[in-house]
């Protein structure tokens, strides 16, 4: 009897052991499946843009394309959020606060107002800006060669001396040059100062027309067309986003319009020594990828796109009654 009891006890112990092993195997299998199912951590990147127009959209596309080439693909290794402020400064500040609260791994603000807002909010999050004409004057970084600890980026500073000279080549009799710009944007103020300096050297007077919103662009254009021989638009998001309204007013008075970016020439301005904004975006994307791979923004000087190209719209020149100098045409990228 005792032997039978021992055998039964052994059998029970073996059954319990087997059940335990089965449970352990089952538990291990669930853990393995859970581990296999859990997605790889994606870096969180935010892109914020002051407004939508072709030049800024080209920058954004260049950034995203370059990041993908560097291994940061949206939906795979990167979680990308893009927010547009629709040219509303209240939205600009709100977007910056939202991206900081979301603890992005990197924030990429496009244009001066967006970069200023992000710089004020993001004290620890890395920031790589794009299309900030003068980041020092805008108080985003203390110096171009030694930017802020967590902030660097690219500048879209345009050669305003060459822009004014270009207008003069098309219109040798140029005496008064109109400039329409947003008086509340540091980026625009800096460029206007450069235009005035370049114009003075050529004996040209500058007639300034300031605006505070895109709704004022057409009216302010109408107020100066009778006083100037041509209009030059700086890289100004408020004005460029309302370019069609400006162009309509200028055409009515046959006052030629020149731009500071190639995308606006495609939209109807006569010509520019323009920056390729897609290339600027790609350059920004390279800097952004370096930060995502561990490099400190403060060790990366602010970069500029040094190559500018003469871009010309022959149809626009014809509409304004201008003849295209042969030498310029030979060296220009002509757009239809």
């Amino acid at each position: 009897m005792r032997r039978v009891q021992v055998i039964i006890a052994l059998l029970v112990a073996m059954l319990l052991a087997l059940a335990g092993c089965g449970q352990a195997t089952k538990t291990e299998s669930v853990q393995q499946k859970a581990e296999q199912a859990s997605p790889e951590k994606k870096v969180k990147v935010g892109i914020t843009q002051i407004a939508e127009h072709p030049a800024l959209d080209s920058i954004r596309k260049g950034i995203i394309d370059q990041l993908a080439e560097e291994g940061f693909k949206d939906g795979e290794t990167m979680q990308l959020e893009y927010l547009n402020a629709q040219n509303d400064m209240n939205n600009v500040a709100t977007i910056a606060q939202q991206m900081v609260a979301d603890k992005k791994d990197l924030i990429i603000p496009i244009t001066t107002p967006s970069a200023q807002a992000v710089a004020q909010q993001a004290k620890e999050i890395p920031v790589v800006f794009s299309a900030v004409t003068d980041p020092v004057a805008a108080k985003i970084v203390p110096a171009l060669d030694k930017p802020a600890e967590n902030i660097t980026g690219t500048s879209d500073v345009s050669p305003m001396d060459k822009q004014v000279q270009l207008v003069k080549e098309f219109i040798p009799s140029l005496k008064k040059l109109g400039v329409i710009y947003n008086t509340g944007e540091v980026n625009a103020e800096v460029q206007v100062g450069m235009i005035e300096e370049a114009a003075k050297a050529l004996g040209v007077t500058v007639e300034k027309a300031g605006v505070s919103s895109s709704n004022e662009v057409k009216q302010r254009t109408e107020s100066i067309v009778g006083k100037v021989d041509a209009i030059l638009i700086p890289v100004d998001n408020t004005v460029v986003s309302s370019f069609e309204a400006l162009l309509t007013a200028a055409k009515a008075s046959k006052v030629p319009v020149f731009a500071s970016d190639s995308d606006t020439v495609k939209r109807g301005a006569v010509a520019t020594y323009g920056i390729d904004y897609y290339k600027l975006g790609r350059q920004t994307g390279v800097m952004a990828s370096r930060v995502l791979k561990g490099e400190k923004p403060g060790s990366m000087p602010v970069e500029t796109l040094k190559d500018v190209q003469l871009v010309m719209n022959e149809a626009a020149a014809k509409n304004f009654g201008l003849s295209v100098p042969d030498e310029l045409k030979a060296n220009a990228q002509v757009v239809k």
Side-chain angles (χ1 to χ4, degrees), residues 248-319:
T248 298
K251 279 183 175 179
S253 297
K254 294 291 184 182
V255 176
V257 179
F258 293 79
S260 299
D261 69 276
S262 55
D263 287 295
T264 303
V265 173
K266 294 175 185 176
R267 294 162 69 187
V270 175
T272 187
Y273 278 106
I275 289 173
D276 186 323
Y277 277 87
Y278 178 74
K279 287 184 179 179
L280 185 67
R282 298 279 294 205
Q283 189 169 331
T284 307
V286 170
M287 297 182 76
S289 69
R290 288 167 60 189
V291 172
L292 289 172
K293 291 173 183 177
E295 198 165 338
K296 300 296 183 183
S299 67
M300 301 161 57
V302 173
E303 297 182 6
T304 59
L305 192 65
K306 298 186 182 301
D307 295 333
V308 293
Q309 183 176 27
L310 175 57
V311 182
M312 187 183 306
N313 187 323
E314 281 190 299
K318 184 178 180 181
N319 289 339

Side-chain angles (χ1 to χ4, degrees), residues 160-161 163-164 177-179 188 190-201 204 206 232-234 260:
M160 287 303 169
D161 55 339
Q163 307 291 16
V164 176
L177 179 64
V179 179
V190 169
Q191 293 176 84
V192 171
M194 295 166 66
I195 291 171
E196 289 181 306
E197 185 178 344
K200 184 178 179 180
V204 175
V206 174
L232 174 60
I233 305 171
S260 299

Side-chain angles (χ1 to χ4, degrees), residues 231-244:
I231 293 173
L232 174 60
I233 305 171
V235 180
D236 183 306
N237 301 300
T238 302
V239 179
V240 172
S241 63
S242 300
F243 174 72
E244 280 69 26

Side-chain angles (χ1 to χ4, degrees), residues 144-207:
L144 298 180
D145 58 338
K146 294 181 180 179
E149 183 178 352
N150 68 314
I151 303 175
T152 189
T154 59
S155 166
D156 65 341
V157 62
S158 181
M160 287 303 169
D161 55 339
K162 296 189 71 172
Q163 307 291 16
V164 176
Q165 179 63 46
L166 179 63
V167 179
K168 183 79 171 175
E169 290 185 58
F170 271 92
I171 310 172
S173 61
L174 180 70
K175 295 299 181 185
K176 285 192 175 182
L177 179 64
V179 179
I180 302 171
Y181 69 106
N182 184 349
T183 55
E185 191 170 329
V186 175
N187 162 61
E189 290 276 10
V190 169
Q191 293 176 84
V192 171
M194 295 166 66
I195 291 171
E196 289 181 306
E197 185 178 344
K200 184 178 179 180
L202 295 174
V204 175
T205 302
V206 174
E207 181 75 25

